[in-house]
Amino acid sequence: MASGEKSVDKEEGENEGFLNKVKDFIQDIGDKIEEAVGFGYPTADVSAVHISSINLKQADLVIDILITNPNPIPIPLVDINYLVESDGRKLVSGLIPDAGTVHAHGSETVKVPVTLIYSDIKNTYNEIKSGSVIPYRVKVDLIVDLPVIGNITLPLEKKGEIPIPYKPDVDLMKIKLDKFSFEETSATLHLKLDNKNDFDLGLNSLEYEVWLGELNIGGARLPKSAKIDKTGYANIELPISFRPNDFGSALWDIIRGRGTGYSLKGNIDVDSPFGPMKLPFNREGGNTKIKKADDKDSDDDKV
């Protein structure tokens, strides 16, 4: 081999050796920097899903996302994409841009508000009925901006159940006159409350107004709590007092007739496995019996 070729090979070998040394040096420096600053990927989890409020129209949920940043610098949250589905059926989805920043070496809980409109759900999926409890899956894509690396996506999930509430049916079975006078009459209303939901209800309060025929004889509140089993009913006794003199002969004719059409409307506050609910009710055009306190109940009066 000519001396010139040996010189070229030697030069190439020296260059390769130098480049390897530079690569090793850069790698070593990178490792030392990473070790010094403690850089790492953030972690995240859907820690809870709360039902903040629920009624016959909608359920308001809050998704708690716990994010931990192990790095010595803050990490921006770019976007939060969320989807709530039931058995593969989309219930609601959305995007929250610029969701904030996670502090250095810290943890943050980001709260994502979500509203489920029951009419939209039932119009889209006919098999979902009022009174049922349906499973849900929350899917979240959390997009964060890491130094040098750029945007990364953290996929998260959480499962649970949510109700589609059904308003209770309220019937006035009978009115028992405990004390009668034209100045003041006290009576007991015997109500039947049907719970058509597939979950128990704890009845805390009931506010109502009563019409006998066209006469509004007033209303009252439930004096004590009660439990209504799922798909069951409860018999409730409610005291009421009114002044027959205020209604003239019309009320007297109703009482003497010992039966009349009635209307009821009001609100029921209940506890459920999913949180408290306020459920309105409105019963129009029913019929009830008026009895004296010492009248015996017939089989027709029993619920």
Side-chain angles (χ1 to χ4, degrees):
M1 181 181 294
S3 59
E5 292 178 352
K6 291 181 179 180
S7 176
V8 171
D9 291 341
K10 181 179 180 181
E11 184 177 346
E12 288 179 352
E14 290 176 352
N15 288 338
E16 185 176 350
F18 174 76
L19 290 176
N20 287 334
K21 287 181 180 180
V22 170
K23 289 180 181 179
D24 292 341
F25 175 76
I26 293 174
Q27 179 67 41
D28 184 56
I29 291 297
D31 291 341
K32 290 184 181 299
I33 291 175
E34 183 175 337
E35 181 180 351
V37 301
F39 179 81
Y41 284 89
T43 59
D45 181 44
V46 178
S47 57
V49 178
H50 306 282
I51 300 178
S52 58
S53 67
I54 190 169
N55 53 45
L56 294 177
K57 294 182 179 179
Q58 65 188 52
D60 295 319
L61 312 180
V62 177
I63 305 170
D64 289 346
I65 303 175
L66 178 62
I67 309 165
T68 300
N69 176 16
N71 301 295
I73 56 175
I75 293 180
L77 303 178
V78 180
D79 289 324
I80 297 178
N81 291 295
Y82 64 85
L83 166 68
V84 182
E85 63 178 20
S86 177
D87 291 332
R89 299 165 298 196
K90 172 185 169 183
L91 303 182
V92 66
S93 64
L95 167 69
I96 299 179
D98 302 325
T101 301
V102 184
H103 298 301
H105 293 307
S107 296
E108 301 285 341
T109 296
V110 178
K111 296 184 178 295
V112 179
V114 177
T115 297
L116 300 178
I117 306 297
Y118 291 134
S119 59
D120 293 344
I121 294 173
K122 290 185 287 187
N123 288 340
T124 305
Y125 307 109
N126 294 328
E127 69 275 19
I128 296 180
K129 304 297 183 183
S130 294
S132 61
V133 177
I134 62 173
Y136 72 79
R137 183 197 303 266
V138 172
K139 294 183 177 180
V140 177
D141 284 337
L142 179 67
I143 303 174
V144 299
D145 184 8
L146 296 182
V148 181
I149 296 175
N151 291 354
I152 66 169
T153 300
L154 302 175
L156 314 171
E157 282 193 8
K158 190 79 170 181
K159 296 180 180 180
E161 291 183 328
I162 193 167
I164 311 292
Y166 191 102
K167 67 179 180 180
D169 282 346
V170 181
D171 286 327
L172 177 57
M173 306 305 295
K174 63 190 173 192
I175 301 175
K176 275 204 168 184
L177 301 175
D178 302 317
K179 176 185 175 183
F180 178 81
S181 74
F182 289 103
E183 292 299 324
E184 183 176 13
T185 291
S186 59
T188 302
L189 307 182
H190 292 252
L191 302 183
K192 177 187 176 185
L193 275 68
D194 273 320
N195 177 15
K196 296 190 176 182
N197 295 286
D198 196 25
F199 50 90
D200 296 343
L201 295 178
L203 181 59
N204 292 325
S205 68
L206 186 153
E207 300 177 2
Y208 66 94
E209 290 185 342
V210 185
W211 281 260
L212 297 181
E214 300 296 324
L215 304 178
N216 184 342
I217 65 171
R221 295 176 61 91
L222 180 71
K224 60 182 180 180
S225 60
K227 179 186 176 183
I228 313 177
D229 294 333
K230 65 178 182 179
T231 64
Y233 67 86
N235 295 320
I236 307 294
E237 296 183 4
L238 299 174
I240 192 172
S241 61
F242 51 92
R243 290 168 48 87
N245 274 345
D246 294 342
F247 302 102
S249 61
L251 182 60
W252 177 244
D253 292 339
I254 290 174
I255 292 175
R256 284 193 305 176
R258 296 297 180 90
T260 182
Y262 73 89
S263 298
L264 276 172
K265 74 173 182 178
N267 292 286
I268 297 176
D269 288 327
V270 297
D271 286 329
S272 77
F274 309 95
M277 292 187 283
K278 188 164 189 171
L279 306 176
F281 65 88
N282 190 346
R283 179 76 163 91
E284 296 184 355
N287 288 282
T288 190
K289 296 179 180 180
I290 301 175
K291 291 177 167 287
K292 296 179 181 179
D294 55 358
D295 287 347
K296 293 183 179 180
D297 292 334
S298 65
D299 290 340
D300 292 341
D301 297 328
K302 295 178 183 178
V303 179

